[in-house]
Amino acid sequence: MNVFYLPDAREGNVSFPEEESKHIVRVLRMREGDTFCVTNGKGSLFDAELIDAHPKRAMANLLNRRDGYDNRAFKLSIAIAPTKLNERTEWFLEKATEIGIDEIKLFASYHSERRVVNVERFKKIVVAAMKQSVKSNMPIIEEMQTFENLVRQDFHGQKFIAWIDEEVKDQLCNLYDKGSDVLVLIGPEGDFSKDEVELAKANGFVPVSLGEARLRTETAAIVACHTIQLINQMK
Amino acid sequence: MNVFYLPDAREGNVSFPEEESKHIVRVLRMREGDTFCVTNGKGSLFDAELIDAHPKRAMANLLNRRDGYDNRAFKLSIAIAPTKLNERTEWFLEKATEIGIDEIKLFASYHSERRVVNVERFKKIVVAAMKQSVKSNMPIIEEMQTFENLVRQDFHGQKFIAWIDEEVKDQLCNLYDKGSDVLVLIGPEGDFSKDEVELAKANGFVPVSLGEARLRTETAAIVACHTIQLINQMK
C-alpha cells in the first residue's frame, strides 16, 4: 500500500502539493480511481482515492480518518551529536523513525566533529521513512543547538545522558520507568567532555550506560531508542 | 586504542599477515615500541607491542591474554534473507557485530530479491566492526543456503520465525527466555510465504511479532538482535 504525506489532511477532497503530486502521478503512474493511504504526520491515517491525476496538483477524496497504530502514551526524545559522516546520522534518522521516535534534538558538543547539518535533508529522510513504515506520526527534528542550551531546556520526563565511563554502572534499561516521557542524550564520536557531563547532571540528567558493548554514536542512539520502545512493549 | 585481528594469536612473538601489517605500518605509521590491542576473534584479547615494523610481516610481542568483555553465556543466531540493496544487509552486519551476535545465517527464500551475495565482503565488514568495537568474538557468517535446508538444520535452543501476520500476537520479547540460545529467522522484503511459515512451524519454529512497527528487513534483524541482548542485560 502506497502512503503519502499531507500535513493538513482531512476527510473530503484535498489537493497535494507539487512534489507529492509528481510522485503520485508521474513516478507511480496512478490513475483516477486508484486508492492509497494518507498520513497527516500528527497521529491520523486516511484511506484515499485519486480523483484528479494532475501531475502538479493531484486531488484525492479522503475518508475513514483513524488513529495510527503508532500513537503512544509516552513521548520519546533522543538528542544526538551528529556524526562526522552524515550518512551515519541519516541512517539513525531512518531507523529511529521505523522503530518509533517522537523528537530528535541535534546538538554541537565539545568533541563534535560536525557542527553544521542540513536539517531540511534530514526531514526528507524522516518523511520517507514515515511513509515507508505507514506511520501516522512524523518525528520532529529541531535545528542544531549548543549542548548548553539543550541541557538547560525544560523537559518533563526522565532525563538521561548516555556516557561511557567506568563509574557509570546503571543501565538505561534498568532505570527507565515504563510509560514515562524520556529524553536520552547521545554524545559525539569523542564522547561528552567531563564538564558537559557535570553540566548535564546539574540540570537533572542521570548518567546511564547502554551496556558493555562499545557502540558508535548512531548505534548508541538506535539502541537507546529501541530500549525505550521495547520496555514499553514488554508484558 | 587500535585493535588488530589475528586468528591464531597467542602470548609471545607473533607475525601479522600482509594486509594487517600494511595497516599497522603504512596506514597507521606505527613504530617499534608502539602498543595496541589484538583480538583472536574467539573470545580473547591481548596487549601487544610492535617489535618489527615490517610493512609485509610486522611482528609484535603479545601478553596479558584475557577474556573479552563480550563473552556470553548464551548464543545468539540470526538468519536473514539478504536485502535487494546490499548496503542494507551490510549495515545490519556492522550494527549486529557492535551490539553483539554469534552467528549470521544467510538464506534464499520464496520472495527473496537477492539470491547471490559476496560472503567474503560480508566477513570483512564484520572484522572491521569487531575491531572497531574491541570485541573478542568474531561473528560467524555462513554461506547462503535455501530456506528448506536452514529450517531443517539442528539447532539446540529457542527457534523463532518473525512473521508479519494478524494471527501472530506473541512478541519475541515476551517468549524469549533470558539466558537461552536462540535463532531468529528474518524474512525478505516480501516476507515469508505461507508455505515457508508452515515448514518452519513443522520444524519447531515459533512465529513471533517484533511489535507493531512495520520494519524493513535489516531493521527487523537489528531489532531482533537487540531484543535478545537487552533481555539478557536487564535485571
Side-chain angles (χ1 to χ4, degrees), chain B residues 43-102:
Chain B
S44 296
L45 296 172
F46 300 81
D47 294 326
E49 181 184 337
L50 194 62
I51 55 174
D52 182 0
H54 194 288
K56 291 190 175 177
R57 44 173 200 281
M59 290 193 69
N61 181 240
L62 269 52
L63 67 167
N64 189 20
R65 179 182 191 132
R66 60 194 181 276
D67 283 347
Y69 72 89
D70 59 321
N71 287 338
R72 287 181 281 277
F74 64 94
K75 188 173 152 193
L76 166 54
S77 304
I78 302 268
I80 184 172
T83 50
K84 187 175 175 185
L85 281 175
N86 259 325
E87 62 180 31
R88 292 188 173 274
T89 302
E90 290 173 8
W91 167 82
F92 159 68
L93 296 171
E94 177 182 298
K95 295 316 176 198
T97 304
E98 283 180 59
I99 291 168
I101 192 165
D102 296 289

Side-chain angles (χ1 to χ4, degrees), chain B residues 163-182:
Chain B
W163 186 41
I164 301 157
D165 190 88
E166 283 188 8
E167 72 181 47
V168 179
K169 304 285 186 200
D170 290 319
Q171 293 195 25
L172 175 63
C173 62
N174 294 320
L175 290 191
Y176 171 69
D177 298 324
K178 184 172 175 171
S180 298
D181 293 347
V182 61

Side-chain angles (χ1 to χ4, degrees), chain B residues 21 49 61 68 95 117 141 143 157 161 197 213 216:
Chain B
S21 296
E49 181 184 337
N61 181 240
K95 295 316 176 198
V117 295
I141 306 183
E143 291 289 333
I161 179 167
V197 175
R216 287 178 181 271

Side-chain angles (χ1 to χ4, degrees), chain B residues 2 15 17 22 24-25 27 31 40-41 46 48 74 81 90 94 104-105 138 143 155 164 172 195 204 220 224:
Chain B
N2 288 303
S15 63
K22 187 177 156 193
I24 294 169
V25 178
V27 180
R31 296 178 180 191
N40 71 354
F46 300 81
F74 64 94
E90 290 173 8
E94 177 182 298
I104 295 150
K105 296 169 181 282
M138 187 169 80
E143 291 289 333
F155 182 84
I164 301 157
L172 175 63
D195 286 352

Side-chain angles (χ1 to χ4, degrees), chain A residues 69-70 88 91 94-95 98-100 128 132-135 170-171 173-174 209-220 222-224 226-228 230-231 233-235, chain B residues 69-70 88 91 94-95 98-100 128 132-135 170-171 173-174 209-220 222-224 226-228 230-231 233-235:
Chain A
Y69 72 88
D70 59 320
R88 293 189 172 272
W91 167 83
E94 178 182 298
K95 296 318 180 198
E98 282 181 59
I99 291 168
Q132 203 274 336
S133 55
V134 200
K135 291 264 194 290
D170 291 318
Q171 294 194 25
C173 63
N174 294 320
S209 154
L210 297 172
E212 284 196 293
R214 303 199 190 188
L215 306 172
R216 286 179 181 271
T217 292
E218 76 280 8
T219 319
I222 273 299
V223 158
H226 184 246
T227 296
I228 301 302
L230 193 73
I231 288 172
Q233 261 172 252
M234 290 176 83
K235 277 178 186 162
Chain B
Y69 72 89
D70 59 321
R88 292 188 173 274
W91 167 82
E94 177 182 298
K95 295 316 176 198
E98 283 180 59
I99 291 168
Q132 202 274 335
S133 56
V134 201
K135 290 261 192 295
D170 290 319
Q171 293 195 25
C173 62
N174 294 320
S209 154
L210 298 172
E212 284 195 291
R214 303 198 190 189
L215 306 172
R216 287 178 181 271
T217 291
E218 76 279 7
T219 319
I222 273 298
V223 158
H226 183 246
T227 296
I228 302 302
L230 192 73
I231 287 171
Q233 259 171 257
M234 288 176 82
K235 278 181 187 159

